Amino acid sequence: MLVGRLVGNATAIAVALIWIAHIAIDRALGYGLELSTGFQDTHLGRIGRKRETFSP
């Protein structure tokens, strides 16, 4: 955002603000950066409902 402001590029500023808002909303909802093991595994911990395992 700083570079967009210094250069005077409104598009860069808008993209930066959207990106910052996206990160803030994800953090507020408890989501984080996804790990390579799957979407439910984040750097903040596991998200989603616990799946029950059925064994016959």
Side-chain angles (χ1 to χ4, degrees):
M1 188 166 77
L2 179 62
V3 172
R5 175 79 173 151
L6 291 174
V7 175
N9 188 336
T11 303
I13 295 170
V15 169
L17 288 174
I18 291 169
W19 187 32
I20 291 168
H22 184 280
I23 292 169
I25 292 169
D26 280 353
R27 294 298 296 254
L29 294 176
Y31 295 100
L33 300 173
E34 291 87 22
L35 301 177
S36 61
T37 55
F39 179 76
Q40 286 80 19
D41 296 324
T42 71
H43 77 288
L44 298 173
R46 188 153 180 88
I47 59 173
R49 294 184 296 185
K50 291 186 178 188
R51 296 183 183 182
E52 294 184 26
T53 56
F54 297 101
S55 55

